[in-house]
């Protein structure tokens, strides 16, 4: 990189000038918590402490199904 270009870039960044770069792509992802309890039921939604899954296997299977 030439000295002039480096100096220009540093000066632009120092004064807060945005660079003409493509914005990063942002994937719209949301986290979902799944609850598991021995007193739960695998027919429950598993998304709240009041309606947990009964088995970790159900939570793992459900997560794979929802993900894809």
């Amino acid at each position: 990189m030439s000295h002039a270009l480096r100096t220009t870039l540093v000066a632009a960044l120092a004064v807060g000038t945005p660079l003409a770069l493509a914005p990063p792509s942002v994937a719209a992802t949301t986290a979902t918590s799944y609850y598991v309890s021995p007193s739960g039921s695998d027919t429950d939604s598993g998304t709240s402490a009041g309606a947990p899954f009964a088995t970790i296997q159900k939570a793992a299977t459900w997560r794979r199904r929802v993900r894809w």
Side-chain angles (χ1 to χ4, degrees):
M1 178 182 305
S2 72
H3 178 69
L5 179 58
R6 184 173 42 237
T7 302
T8 302
L9 287 173
V10 170
L13 291 173
V15 296
T17 304
L19 298 176
L21 300 175
S25 65
V26 178
T29 60
T30 57
T32 302
S33 296
Y34 293 98
Y35 296 82
V36 178
S37 170
S39 62
S41 170
D42 282 346
T43 60
D44 286 342
S45 67
T47 56
S48 73
F53 291 130
T55 63
I56 292 174
Q57 183 60 43
K58 174 66 177 184
T61 302
W62 181 255
R63 177 61 186 131
R64 265 188 254 114
R65 192 178 93 191
V66 170
R67 185 175 182 193
W68 303 109

